[in-house]
C-alpha cells in the first residue's frame, strides 16, 4: 500500500495534538466517512458525492492495509426532511483503540458495574 498525503492527513486526525480540534468539529473517534470528508474538503463535501466516495475508498484502503479498523454501529441520524432515523453507520478508528458510543437508552438500559480503561 502506498502512503499518500491524503492517508497521512487522515492519520493525523487521530494524533493527540489534533484530537481536541477533531472532536470539536465532528465528534470523537471512531470517525465516519462524512466526518472525514468534511475535515478534508470542508462544507462542499456535502454537495459532491464523488468526494464522499473517494474518501470512503481511501478509508477502506487504509483498513485493508492495517492502518485503520472498521467498526459498524447503529445510531440515530438526522434526515434532511427533519426528524431522525436509525441508521447503520460504518466508522473508522485506529486498530486496538477503545470505541465509545453515546448512551441513548438512559438508566433503564444500563449495565451495572465499573468501567476500567485498559491501556
Amino acid at each position: 500500500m502506498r502512503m499518500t498525503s491524503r492517508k497521512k492527513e487522515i492519520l493525523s486526525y487521530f494524533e493527540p495534538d489534533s484530537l481536541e480540534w477533531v472532536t470539536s468539529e465532528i465528534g470523537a473517534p471512531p470517525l465516519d466517512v462524512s466526518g472525514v470528508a468534511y475535515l478534508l474538503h470542508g462544507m462542499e463535501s456535502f454537495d459532491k458525492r464523488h468526494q464522499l466516495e473517494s474518501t470512503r475508498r481511501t478509508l477502506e484502503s487504509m483498513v485493508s492495509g492495517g492502518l485503520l479498523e472498521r467498526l459498524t454501529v447503529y445510531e440515530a441520524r438526522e434526515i434532511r426532511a427533519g426528524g431522525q432515523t436509525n441508521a447503520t453507520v460504518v466508522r473508522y478508528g485506529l486498530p486496538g483503540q477503545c470505541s465509545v458510543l453515546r448512551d441513548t437508552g438512559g438508566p433503564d438500559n444500563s449495565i451495572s458495574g465499573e468501567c476500567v480503561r485498559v491501556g
Side-chain angles (χ1 to χ4, degrees):
M1 177 183 69
R2 213 173 85 211
M3 182 58 76
T4 62
S5 61
R6 177 68 44 89
K7 291 175 185 173
K8 288 179 185 176
E9 186 174 357
I10 291 171
L11 286 176
S12 75
Y13 298 147
F14 294 98
E15 292 177 358
D17 296 341
S18 304
L19 206 52
E20 185 177 332
W21 172 75
V22 169
T23 302
S24 69
E25 287 291 317
I26 61 170
L31 308 175
D32 63 352
V33 174
S34 61
V36 175
Y38 170 74
L39 293 175
L40 292 171
H41 306 288
M43 290 296 288
E44 68 184 37
S45 67
F46 297 125
D47 297 329
K48 298 183 178 173
R49 182 86 179 157
H50 71 276
Q51 289 180 342
L52 285 173
E53 286 301 313
S54 173
T55 303
R56 184 193 60 76
R57 285 191 307 270
T58 301
L59 290 168
E60 288 296 329
S61 165
M62 293 173 76
V63 168
S64 65
L67 296 174
L68 293 178
E69 190 173 68
R70 186 177 201 265
L71 177 70
T72 303
V73 295
Y74 302 99
E75 60 187 43
R77 283 286 174 117
E78 290 184 27
I79 54 177
R80 287 187 180 186
Q84 287 188 343
T85 185
N86 290 329
T88 303
V89 180
V90 176
R91 294 185 167 271
Y92 300 89
L94 294 176
Q97 295 290 322
C98 176
S99 62
V100 178
L101 302 176
R102 240 180 221 124
D103 178 18
T104 58
D108 295 334
N109 293 331
S110 65
I111 300 171
S112 60
E114 294 183 13
C115 177
V116 178
R117 174 171 242 151
V118 178

